[in-house]
Every structure is written in C-alpha cells, then in structure tokens.
Amino acid sequence: MTLKGFRFAAVEAAIKKPGRRDLALVFSDTPAQVAAVFTTNKVQAAPVILSRERAKNGIARAVLVNSGNANACTGEQGMRDALSCGRRTAEALGLPDEELLIASTGVIGQPLPMERFKAGIQPLVDALDHGCLEDVAAAIMTTDTFAKLERRTGQAGGVSYQIEGVAKGAGMIQPNMATMLSFLVTDAAVEPTFLRKAFGEAIEASFNSITVDGDMSTNDTALIIANGAAGNLLIKEGTPEAAEFLSLLKEVTLSLARLIVKDGEGATKFVTVKVRGAHSLAEAKKTALSIANSLLVKTAFFGQDANWGRIIAAVGYAGVQVDQDRVEIRFDDVVMAKNGVFAGGSAEADGTEVLKRPEFTVTVDLHLGSAEAAVYTSDLSYDYVRINADYRT
C-alpha cells in the first residue's frame, strides 16, 4: 500500500561537512492537520520556538529539517536565520510561511552556514518528485548508526490508510522529549482534537519512556501530519476506527523509540525496566526511570554484573513509597531478590547469564499497589565516553 498525498526529498548542503545528505523536506500536496510535541528544556533552539508557535494553528503542509547544526543558543540571528530559511523554502513551494515547520539537530551554539543552507533549498524542492521517506530518515542522522523508519496500515470505513514515521536519536536521550526528531505522516482523515490527544498519548508511552543517558536537548521535536488523502470518513474519538488508529500510532512511535535506544551511543544492551505494584502510574514510572538512569546500574549491565544491589538502591532514592521488605527483583525470569533480600541459590550465576543477552528485562515489584510502567534503556559503555568526548570534532 502506498502513502497518498505526500512527497519527500533530501540533499547534501554540507551544513557541517560535505559527504552526506543533511537537508530534508516533508511535503503534503494539500493542507493537513498537524499535532506536535517539543522539548521541555527551558533552553530552546530557534526552530523549536518558531515551530511551536506555528503548530498552534493546527495546519501544516511541510517540514524543513537539517542535521549538523542545531541553530540553538544563537541569539536573535538564529531566529532570523530560521525565518529566512523557512521563507525561502515556503516561497519555492508556493506556501504561506505559517504552513511550514522547521526542525534542526546537531552542534549547539554555532550559527547556521546560511549560504550553504540557502543554496540547498531549490535543489531540495526540485528533488520532491523522486525522493522517498527513507531519504529523510538518512538525512536527519547525527551520531545515529542506522536510519529509523516504521510503517503501519489501517482501515477506516473500509478504506485503507498508512501511518509512516522516521526518527533520529542515539545520545542525549531522556524522557519529556529527548535529543530526537521524529516526523510521522498519515494519509488518514483524522478529527483534529483526537489527533492531538492520540499523538500525546502515543508520545507518553514511547518517546517519553526512553532514556540513554538521562540528558535532555534543546531541539527535540516530534510531530504528525494528517492530510486525509486516503479518502476515509473522518476518524473521530470514541469509535472503533479511533481505537485502531491509536493502536497503530502507538506501534509506530514505540517501535521508533525502541530503535533509538538500540542505537544508543556505544550501547551493547537493550534493557526494558518494568516496575509493578506501585501506588500510582507516576510512582511506577519515576521508579523505573531512577533505575534506568543510574550510571552504576547501566555500567553493571555493560559489565554483565548481576549486581541487583545497585537496582534496589535506585529504587530507594527514587522518591516514591517503598517498603524494602516487600521488593522483588527479577532479571527476565530469574528471581534475584525477594522480600528485599538476595534470593540465594543459583541466582547470581543465572542472573549473570541473563545479562549476557543483548536484550533482557529487569522487573521490580514493589508489592504496594496495582500500577505499573515500563521504561526502555541501554547500558553505558566505553564507547559512549569516546563518542561524546569527540562529538564536535
């Protein structure tokens, strides 16, 4: 099945250095609904400030995105540059400025190389007739080692539609948006209020449930554009069609989020941290994040050290209600601790075998309530330090 009413393009503008495509465009042939979520960092890049304001209108037709330069902490000049790039692109597309959103990722604190950026705009627009979403996925990469792309097909009233999305991110990853960009498109016709609600719910269960290093960026942007080109009857909240759309949207965002963690800078492990038996969802998620962000826990994962003591310590300082005499910890199906003490027997050896796997689950049961939450994380390796020590060079 082919996505209808969207075109894509990517070109090389040598924004940071030559040798790869680094300027991309997502374009809807018709005006479309948009829902967007941005970083909660108090320090925000010019593209975030500009696009947040434009997204409030609920209508967008295009997204201009570059890698290699974040256009963050660049003062008034950074905003002028963002506006200028957007204006030139909108003119080339025949759009009002307000229908074009902008996103950037890369090094903070350096002005955009405007001459190179501007020179790439017309070739970018010209490339729309033969580009694809895979081109966008590749162009937005920074320290990513692979492009991230997902697709799902749904039906509404007997009419098929597509949800497709790309993402970038490998480091500076922390919930409440991370150093990541994600752009989703769908040719489904979706009621605007439901689209915003569904996207927010999908983000909370995916991009806001991952952490690589506990850091948060200035540029995080995730958005979805729905243009209705599939021709289905409008998907409205409370209908079976809405339930299916939300389910598929969550599948796409969660799959993209998991790919970000798997591509975590220097990562050798993909770890699901589940917390059960909490008094509330908020406390369950807070506890899971405390474990997932612990440097001692993450280095133990890398060293394949079944050190469950680091995990129960992270539970204890999470700032939630805990009764240490009730806590149970499992590595996959291996019980490491029960009622707050070491399970004994072969637990150490069996737990070490689990940690040798590339993917595993750490489950903590607080035995205090019925709420549970999951967070996805990676280990912390020597390569993480090497990559980030050399990032600007």
Side-chain angles (χ1 to χ4, degrees):
M1 168 121 187
T2 302
L3 180 76
K4 297 179 180 177
F6 285 97
R7 289 182 282 163
F8 310 97
V11 298
E12 178 184 330
I15 289 171
K16 183 177 181 181
K17 56 185 177 182
R20 61 179 296 270
R21 288 177 291 184
D22 53 9
L23 188 61
L25 187 62
V26 175
F27 179 71
S28 172
D29 291 329
T30 58
Q33 301 294 330
V34 65
V37 179
F38 301 91
T39 182
T40 57
N41 197 318
K42 298 298 183 184
V43 178
Q44 299 179 358
V48 167
I49 296 170
L50 179 61
S51 293
R52 176 184 279 115
E53 193 61 32
R54 289 183 176 178
K56 290 178 182 178
N57 297 326
I59 300 293
R61 285 189 63 185
V63 183
L64 175 68
V65 54
N66 73 274
S67 61
N69 187 303
N71 193 15
C73 303
T74 47
E76 294 181 0
Q77 184 62 48
M79 181 58 73
R80 287 195 294 270
D81 289 346
L83 287 166
S84 176
C85 293
R87 185 175 304 112
R88 285 173 176 263
T89 307
E91 288 176 356
L93 292 169
L95 305 178
D97 289 3
E98 294 73 20
E99 292 185 3
L100 183 137
L101 306 182
I102 300 173
S104 299
T105 185
V107 177
I108 293 171
Q110 296 183 0
L112 283 176
M114 288 299 288
E115 292 308 312
R116 279 175 275 167
F117 202 119
K118 291 176 181 178
I121 290 175
Q122 192 58 54
L124 182 67
V125 172
D126 293 341
L128 281 172
D129 289 333
H130 51 265
C132 61
L133 189 57
E134 285 83 351
D135 297 333
V136 177
I140 63 178
M141 292 167 55
T142 51
T143 58
D144 305 62
T145 63
F146 60 86
K148 301 165 181 68
L149 174 71
E150 285 295 328
R151 294 183 170 95
R152 295 292 187 277
T153 300
Q155 279 203 342
V159 176
S160 295
Y161 63 81
Q162 292 287 104
I163 302 176
E164 302 188 3
V166 297
K168 66 80 51 181
M172 222 182 200
I173 300 297
Q174 160 74 340
N176 295 319
M177 299 302 290
T179 251
M180 52 151 284
L181 301 178
S182 183
F183 310 112
L184 280 75
V185 292
T186 179
D187 52 9
V190 186
E191 194 276 325
T193 301
F194 172 65
L195 181 67
R196 290 191 295 271
K197 181 177 179 180
F199 193 55
E201 189 173 329
I203 291 291
E204 187 60 30
S206 56
F207 298 130
N208 277 353
S209 293
I210 59 175
T211 178
V212 167
D213 48 21
D215 225 321
M216 185 188 297
S217 169
T218 55
N219 286 62
D220 316 326
T221 300
L223 59 86
I224 182 169
I225 297 176
N227 67 5
N232 62 286
L233 293 176
L234 191 67
I235 297 175
K236 297 181 179 180
E237 186 173 7
T239 62
E241 290 80 7
E244 180 181 359
F245 180 86
L246 176 59
S247 177
L248 294 172
L249 183 59
K250 285 183 173 181
E251 287 183 20
V252 172
T253 57
L254 181 56
S255 181
L256 290 171
R258 288 170 60 93
L259 289 174
I260 288 173
V261 175
K262 288 184 177 182
D263 198 23
E265 291 170 343
T268 69
K269 310 288 184 184
F270 177 86
V271 186
T272 301
V273 179
K274 291 183 178 180
V275 173
R276 295 173 174 165
H279 279 301
S280 67
L281 175 61
E283 291 201 350
K285 192 165 187 178
K286 190 174 182 180
T287 306
L289 283 170
S290 182
I291 298 165
N293 278 327
S294 166
L295 298 183
L296 290 177
V297 170
K298 292 164 75 67
T299 51
F301 291 158
F302 175 66
Q304 301 173 2
D305 176 9
N307 193 340
W308 63 272
R310 292 182 177 182
I311 293 172
I312 199 168
V315 171
Y317 64 66
V320 304
Q321 297 182 66
V322 176
D323 181 345
Q324 70 181 61
D325 294 330
R326 298 188 185 188
V327 176
E328 180 181 332
I329 300 172
R330 292 175 179 262
F331 294 170
D332 279 351
D333 58 351
V334 176
V335 178
M336 298 300 302
K338 194 170 183 64
N339 299 324
V341 298
F342 181 50
S346 63
E348 180 79 20
D350 293 344
T352 298
E353 288 302 310
V354 170
L355 297 193
K356 291 179 180 179
R357 300 168 185 168
E359 297 187 24
F360 54 86
T361 298
V362 172
T363 303
V364 175
D365 197 330
L366 301 179
H367 289 290
L368 294 175
S370 59
E372 60 181 75
V375 167
Y376 309 93
T377 192
S378 60
D379 59 345
L380 188 63
S381 71
Y382 307 128
D383 278 345
Y384 178 86
V385 177
R386 179 188 58 77
I387 291 166
N388 284 284
D390 296 338
Y391 180 70
R392 296 205 304 166
T393 57

